[in-house]
Amino acid sequence: MAEEVLPITRQVTTESRASGTTFVDIHLLDVEDCLIYDRRGVSIPFKSLYQERKSIIIFVRNFLCYSCKEYVEDLSKIPREALEDAGIRLAVIGQSAHCHIESFCSLTGYPYEIYVDPERCIYQKLGMKREETFTDSAPPSPHVKSSMFVGQMKSIWRAMTSPAFDFQGDLHQQGGAIIAGPGSQVHFSHFDMNRLDHMPINWLLQLAGVQQTLDFSDKPKIIHV
């Protein structure tokens, strides 16, 4: 019997996006049976997100993180028909208790699938970073509009006014993004170095096969008549 070849995915860091490639082994077999939970607390195996079709799966730091909030707000702007036409499934995974999902979706307007991995099983087994690394050469995120000071103040205020006061996840855990499926095939992965190192959404969409390019800027639009 031929030896099974595990999929290898391309890891793109901030430093290497323009200048080179770095490869990292991502073994979905290690995490396929990890349980994730929906907003009602119902569990499903992680593999159910990508077994049947290609999926973009976003891992966020925590639901109080201002940069994650603004990133997911931009994810909510992706037209449903763009994903359906390309046969792409989109899911966000956080690491809080499931009771925080509903309020996070209300806050961001996010209409697609969202789950939590409260034990950080998938985060840890895939090797996502804990603690932040910043570099002087890092380009600004096209999705984070708030300054770090203002963003942190917003996060603190949301924590203080939340009905269930907690930090809605490990504050040191970083997130990432993968494109996987059908089956255990991994097409791409990116692990965030810090809170501003999200993979640009248009890049993810193009890598997944979505043809539409979206404008996520907050600049006023000029309408020519």
Side-chain angles (χ1 to χ4, degrees):
M1 179 182 295
E3 182 180 355
E4 180 181 10
V5 178
L6 295 173
I8 297 177
T9 180
R10 180 178 175 183
Q11 162 74 16
V12 180
T13 64
T14 298
E15 292 83 358
S16 64
R17 284 179 189 170
S19 59
T21 60
T22 303
F23 291 91
V24 60
D25 290 335
I26 300 294
H27 296 168
L28 289 184
L29 295 178
D30 295 340
V31 296
E32 63 179 13
D33 292 322
C34 290
L35 295 179
I36 53 178
Y37 299 83
D38 67 14
R39 66 189 68 203
R40 297 180 300 276
V42 177
S43 65
I44 62 171
F46 178 59
K47 65 183 176 184
S48 65
L49 295 185
Y50 54 82
Q51 281 293 302
E52 300 300 324
R53 58 174 168 161
K54 186 184 292 185
S55 298
I56 300 174
I57 305 172
I58 307 294
F59 294 84
V60 298
R61 297 176 70 241
N62 59 75
F63 287 158
L64 282 181
C65 170
Y66 73 93
S67 61
C68 296
K69 168 188 170 291
E70 295 180 9
Y71 187 78
V72 174
E73 284 176 336
D74 277 359
L75 286 175
S76 71
K77 299 174 185 177
I78 300 174
R80 188 175 297 273
E81 59 270 19
L83 297 173
E84 292 176 348
D85 289 348
I88 301 298
R89 187 175 184 175
L90 173 63
V92 166
I93 295 179
Q95 37 120 6
S96 74
H98 73 271
C99 62
H100 294 296
I101 292 178
E102 196 71 50
S103 59
F104 185 72
C105 289
S106 297
L107 182 69
T108 59
Y110 178 76
Y112 301 110
E113 294 181 74
I114 184 167
Y115 304 91
V116 291
D117 172 19
E119 301 299 324
R120 296 188 295 121
C121 170
I122 303 168
Y123 288 79
Q124 293 174 349
K125 287 187 176 183
L126 287 183
M128 293 186 191
K129 297 182 179 297
R130 195 170 180 277
E131 306 295 347
E132 296 185 271
T133 301
F134 290 92
T135 62
D136 293 335
S137 60
S141 170
H143 305 291
V144 179
K145 283 78 176 179
S146 299
S147 68
M148 189 172 293
F149 175 77
V150 171
Q152 288 177 331
M153 292 301 102
K154 290 178 180 178
S155 296
I156 293 171
W157 177 251
R158 285 174 52 213
M160 293 174 61
T161 57
S162 173
F165 179 76
D166 62 49
F167 292 109
Q168 302 184 25
D170 185 329
L171 296 181
H172 300 287
Q173 180 66 57
Q174 306 306 305
I178 67 174
I179 302 173
S184 296
Q185 182 180 9
V186 179
H187 306 276
F188 174 81
S189 84
H190 168 79
F191 292 165
D192 300 340
M193 303 294 290
N194 55 66
R195 72 192 69 183
L196 303 177
D197 192 37
H198 304 106
M199 186 69 186
I201 294 172
N202 274 325
W203 286 30
L204 282 174
L205 293 175
Q206 291 167 11
L207 288 167
V210 177
Q211 300 301 315
Q212 189 169 345
T213 299
L214 306 177
D215 181 5
F216 294 106
S217 70
D218 56 354
K219 297 177 181 179
K221 305 297 187 298
I222 299 175
I223 302 176
H224 297 281
V225 296

